């Protein structure tokens, strides 16, 4: 029998973290049908991968790609990194279910009023199914989105009745295609939410087999208390939980991952807990005064009233305009920013932690985005694994494939294994590297050679194909 595709003679890194081996990978009808020696099998297409790595397509554990999947379905920022699946709806922010609002920060990171037009999760899922993207997605429903849909004021905990309403919304979202629930408890729309409210909603997600991801209430001085809160939610809602973009921010918290990682390790003994991390010492979100004092440097990523300031240093803007930081924030808002506020040693410690997952947290709507949007995965492979030797290439790949699919319950992806869906990336281990930088953030990575989603070629030699084989995935409970 003739195969659809054979990727021959590559170094197969299977996603488990185990040693790679030289093998052929056979693909038929969108699935991997053989891994081994298939030299005498004929195929419609043979891709010679000698000297190259053949890995499962990368899974971006943490994204804000809800809108870009619809507005730029080629998903160039992700596909050019070898990413074949994204988890959307993180940090409490999902596009659905919400309509007819002017989205406050951080909801405006996804898009403006015209994009908040999905009354139900089903409406969003249907549009994605009708107009599929090049890559797969798995969606979470966001707590801040639900609060805005339900409450007249956000600066207080939800009442019993409001919690009941939101519980119904979580139930509906889970039934209509969501795979979990996310919070952004540090952000203005949700910082006043009670732990009880979060537990109640996480419980509904749990009952439906979902996962819980959280941008915690605090990632700086009180990070340890936030981890405690997260563990209590995981325990009481009995839900598999992911701490989003784990880090400790601000100079006085440098080094504190020596404290938080053992805390997480201890909690893992009795709750299902993991985290995602991006490989940079700068964060990025809305321009909010609360982050300024903890940052060495602040870069503006976008500004509605002053688009010309995208890419500029906040300090430079203050100097040019001869105004205070507070005044500048007022004039620039609504806006987004990059904050340099983490320590490289902490970052490396977090990346190295066993079982961790790589998530870009990229912001695809930004005019001058944080380079993590285009650079995260090749940076881990090229810079942290190959150049710094932080971990083996096999361990690096596991952090972007198998660790993530098993945490999120994506059962038929994340490994190179017979029977699984053919999401595959072929990359050059010698040359793979991020090229997106803080000065020049929109740059496709080097060394990502061919990317297949469900067996279809979506990217090769820096070219995007017209194929849109992405599907909406759901978590296997
Ligand atoms: Zn976040
Ligand atoms: Cu995020």
């Amino acid at each position: 029998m003739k195969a659809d595709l054979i990727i021959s003679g590559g170094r197969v890194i299977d996603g488990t973290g185990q040693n790679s081996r030289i093998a052929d990978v056979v693909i038929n009808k969108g699935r991997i049908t053989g891994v081994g020696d298939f030299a005498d099998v004929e195929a419609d297409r043979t891709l010679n991968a000698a000297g190259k790595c053949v890995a499962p397509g990368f899974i971006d554990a943490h994204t804000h790609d809800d809108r870009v999947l619809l507005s730029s379905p080629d998903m160039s920022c992700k596909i050019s990194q070898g990413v074949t699946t994204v988890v959307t709806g993180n940090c409490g922010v999902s596009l659905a279910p919400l309509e007819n609002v002017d989205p406050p920060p951080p909801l405006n990171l996804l898009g403006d009023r015209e994009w908040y037009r999905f009354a139900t999760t089903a409406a969003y899922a249907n549009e994605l199914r009708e107009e599929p993207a090049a890559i797969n997605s798995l969606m979470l429903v966001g707590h801040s989105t639900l609060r805005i849909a339900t409450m007249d004021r956000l600066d207080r905990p939800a009442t019993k009745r409001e919690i009941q309403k939101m519980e119904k919304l979580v139930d509906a979202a889970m039934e209509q295609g969501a795979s979990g629930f996310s919070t952004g408890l540090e952000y203005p729309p949700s910082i006043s939410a009670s732990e009880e409210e979060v537990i109640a909603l996480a419980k509904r997600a749990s009952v439906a087999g979902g996962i819980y991801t959280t941008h915690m209430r605090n990632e700086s001085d009180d990070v340890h208390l936030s981890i405690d809160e997260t563990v209590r939610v995981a325990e009481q809602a009995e839900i598999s939980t992911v701490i989003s973009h784990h880090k400790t921010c601000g100079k006085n918290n440098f080094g504190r991952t020596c404290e938080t990682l053992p805390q997480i390790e201890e909690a893992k003994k009795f709750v299902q807990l993991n985290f995602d991390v991006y490989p940079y010492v700068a964060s990025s979100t809305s321009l909010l005064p609360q982050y300024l004092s903890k940052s060495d440097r602040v870069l503006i990523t976008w500004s509605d009233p002053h688009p010309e300031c995208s890419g500029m240093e906040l300090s430079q803007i203050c100097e040019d305009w001869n105004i205070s930081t507070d005044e500048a924030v007022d004039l620039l808002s609504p806006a987004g920013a990059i904050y340099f506020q983490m320590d490289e040693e902490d970052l490396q410690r977090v990346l190295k932690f066993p079982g961790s997952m790589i998530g870009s947290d990229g912001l695809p709507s930004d005019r001058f985005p944080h380079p993590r949007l285009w650079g995260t995965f090749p940076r881990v492979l090229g810079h942290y694994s190959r150049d710094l030797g932080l971990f083996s290439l096999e361990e690096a790949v596991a952090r972007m494939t198998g660790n993530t699919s098993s945490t999120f319950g994506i059962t038929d992806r994340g490994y190179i294994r017979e029977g699984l869906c053919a999401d595959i990336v072929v990359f050059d281990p010698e040359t793979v590297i991020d090229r997106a930088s803080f000065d020049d953030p929109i740059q496709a990575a080097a060394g990502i050679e061919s990317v297949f989603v469900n067996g279809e070629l979506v990217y090769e030699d820096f070219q995007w194909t017209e194929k849109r084989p992405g599907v909406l995935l759901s978590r296997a409970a």
Side-chain angles (χ1 to χ4, degrees), residues 62-64 89-93 109 183 187 215 244-245 247 276 278 284-285 360-363 372:
H62 186 115
T63 85
H64 297 285
N90 275 286
C91 298
V93 174
L109 294 176
T183 56
Y187 287 120
H215 174 147
S244 295
H245 39 64
K247 55 180 172 302
D276 60 74
Y278 52 78
S284 183
T285 185
S360 71
D361 202 6
L363 299 171
R372 66 193 185 187

Side-chain angles (χ1 to χ4, degrees), residues 86-402:
V86 293
V87 178
T88 62
N90 275 286
C91 298
V93 174
S94 59
L95 217 45
L98 186 62
E99 59 177 350
N100 299 325
V101 293
D102 288 315
L107 272 75
N108 56 359
L109 294 176
L110 295 186
D112 50 20
R113 187 184 179 99
E114 66 171 302
W115 276 102
Y116 281 90
R117 57 180 170 80
F118 301 103
T120 62
T121 300
Y124 174 81
N126 286 340
E127 194 161 316
L128 194 54
R129 285 191 193 103
E130 276 160 29
E131 298 286 334
I135 65 178
N136 310 306
S137 58
L138 180 110
M139 63 173 162
L140 308 169
V141 62
H143 181 213
S144 294
T145 298
L146 298 182
R147 291 191 113 230
I148 292 165
T150 308
M151 299 172 66
D152 59 341
R153 282 174 46 191
L154 301 170
D155 59 347
R156 57 172 176 81
T159 62
K160 279 235 156 57
R161 278 201 57 181
E162 287 162 342
I163 292 176
Q164 282 168 359
K165 275 191 188 167
M166 288 192 278
E167 285 174 337
K168 292 222 167 69
L169 291 175
V170 174
D171 289 345
M174 293 298 296
E175 212 182 287
Q176 296 168 15
S179 291
F181 170 66
S182 81
T183 56
L185 297 171
E186 192 181 24
Y187 287 120
S190 293
I191 197 158
S192 304
S194 66
E195 192 172 312
E196 186 193 349
E197 172 183 337
V198 175
I199 290 169
L201 300 178
K203 243 183 208 154
R204 298 314 307 165
S206 167
V207 165
I211 193 166
Y212 171 55
T213 77
T214 179
H215 174 147
M216 299 190 298
R217 224 178 268 277
N218 188 290
E219 297 182 308
S220 51
D221 299 358
D222 290 336
V223 62
H224 57 299
L225 300 178
S226 288
I227 294 173
D228 284 343
E229 178 179 32
T230 301
V231 173
R232 285 193 301 271
V233 173
E235 213 178 355
Q236 289 178 40
E238 297 176 77
I239 190 160
S240 174
T241 297
V242 173
I243 294 172
S244 295
H245 39 64
H246 184 47
K247 55 180 172 302
T248 56
C249 299
K251 277 236 164 63
N252 49 333
N253 297 303
F254 283 8
R256 285 192 65 200
T257 57
C258 289
E259 212 180 292
T260 61
L261 293 174
Q263 196 184 351
I264 289 169
E265 200 170 308
E266 182 58 31
K268 280 178 93 158
K269 291 177 187 159
F270 55 97
V271 292
Q272 278 190 301
L273 184 65
N274 203 347
F275 59 76
D276 60 74
V277 53
Y278 52 78
Y280 297 87
V281 292
S283 66
S284 183
T285 185
S286 305
L287 180 61
L288 292 167
Q290 67 199 89
Y291 296 117
L292 299 178
S293 60
K294 290 183 212 100
S295 307
D296 289 340
R297 247 179 95 193
V298 177
L299 277 172
I300 300 302
T301 53
W302 61 276
S303 160
D304 268 354
H306 291 282
E308 76 281 4
C309 291
S310 304
M312 285 180 70
E313 299 262 353
L314 182 61
S315 60
Q316 187 64 49
I317 297 170
C318 293
E319 212 181 296
D320 291 355
W321 294 355
N322 196 19
I323 53 175
S324 72
T325 312
D326 288 348
E327 288 168 317
V329 169
D330 271 351
L331 289 174
L332 290 165
S333 294
I338 291 169
Y339 307 90
F340 289 82
Q341 52 173 0
M342 286 95 88
D343 174 51
E344 179 67 29
E345 279 180 35
D346 281 315
L347 167 59
Q348 293 191 15
R349 228 173 266 128
V350 176
L351 285 168
K352 253 171 111 164
F353 189 81
S356 70
M357 302 183 286
I358 306 300
S360 71
D361 202 6
L363 299 171
S365 308
D366 291 7
R367 274 174 75 115
F368 197 86
H370 187 303
R372 66 193 185 187
L373 177 65
W374 287 79
T376 290
F377 293 81
R379 181 170 171 80
V380 171
L381 297 171
H383 179 63
Y384 284 106
S385 172
R386 181 190 59 227
D387 297 347
L388 298 189
L390 197 62
F391 34 52
S392 67
L393 209 48
E394 287 87 346
E395 278 292 336
V397 168
R399 282 163 169 69
M400 30 188 97
T401 58

